[in-house]
Amino acid sequence: MDKSKVPVEQRAALSLLVDDHRAVKKLFKAFQDAKDDATKQSIAAETCQMLKVHAQIEEEIFYPALRGASDKIDDMLDEAQVEHAVAKDLVAKVEAGDKEMLEAHYTVLSEYVGHHVEEEEGELFPAVIRAKVDLREVAEQLEARKTELMGQPA
């Protein structure tokens, strides 16, 4: 998603979420490139923490701010909630520490999150832009809550 084309009243909020998506994508790539188990476990732990915080700020702040904007957006939010639940199950499996299954769980998590990101950036965010939802205040709330959650131990 080209952030420079996002209207100013939505840019900060959507940019924060897109930046999170890019950061996690880089971690997924780093995991693939990692050669040893300790590095993979470290990357997996960082990924899980980022995904938990990202999902939480979306569920607590972003999604509620969009509710009621349109029926189509509400339907997409329902689907996103279900996708978050599945992703959280996969995160829990990765965090469970089963070394034999780490690669498999992480790979499926990577694929699943990739699909979710494509839908958010390809469908939900454009629908939010078309609906002209003002997200300036939401952006501040997202940033503050993310900072708060990232400061907490995993």
Side-chain angles (χ1 to χ4, degrees):
M1 166 170 262
D2 183 352
K3 295 185 288 188
S4 68
K5 294 183 179 161
V6 176
V8 70
E9 61 272 9
Q10 296 151 332
R11 188 171 300 146
L14 296 184
S15 291
L16 181 144
L17 299 174
V18 168
D19 290 348
D20 280 0
H21 294 165
R22 299 292 169 272
V24 168
K25 190 175 185 179
K26 284 181 183 169
L27 288 170
F28 288 145
K29 174 80 172 91
F31 183 92
Q32 284 181 330
D33 296 342
K35 302 293 182 222
D36 63 282
D37 289 345
T39 303
K40 286 185 178 204
Q41 287 174 338
S42 175
I43 293 167
E46 183 179 352
T47 305
C48 289
Q49 176 63 15
M50 284 193 70
L51 289 172
K52 289 190 297 189
V53 168
H54 181 81
Q56 191 166 342
I57 65 172
E58 281 188 336
E59 291 168 10
E60 286 180 4
I61 300 163
F62 186 62
Y63 293 168
L66 303 179
R67 282 272 172 212
S70 76
D71 289 344
K72 181 179 180 180
I73 288 174
D74 285 350
D75 289 345
M76 286 188 263
L77 294 175
D78 292 343
E79 185 178 329
Q81 292 283 128
V82 173
E83 289 175 349
H84 277 199
V86 173
K88 287 177 189 175
D89 287 344
L90 289 166
V91 164
K93 286 180 170 45
V94 169
E95 290 182 325
D98 181 350
K99 290 181 177 137
E100 297 294 315
M101 292 298 290
L102 175 64
E103 195 95 28
H105 287 139
Y106 194 87
T107 299
V108 173
L109 178 65
S110 166
E111 292 166 355
Y112 199 80
V113 168
H115 166 79
H116 177 72
V117 165
E118 281 179 28
E119 286 191 344
E120 274 194 348
E121 292 186 16
E123 297 172 31
L124 178 62
F125 294 178
V128 168
I129 291 167
R130 283 191 302 276
K132 297 184 177 11
V133 180
D134 189 333
L135 298 173
R136 284 179 279 223
E137 195 174 302
V138 169
E140 293 172 22
Q141 294 170 7
L142 288 169
E143 187 66 51
R145 185 68 171 131
K146 180 179 175 184
T147 299
E148 177 186 346
L149 291 170
M150 291 301 278
Q152 293 177 353

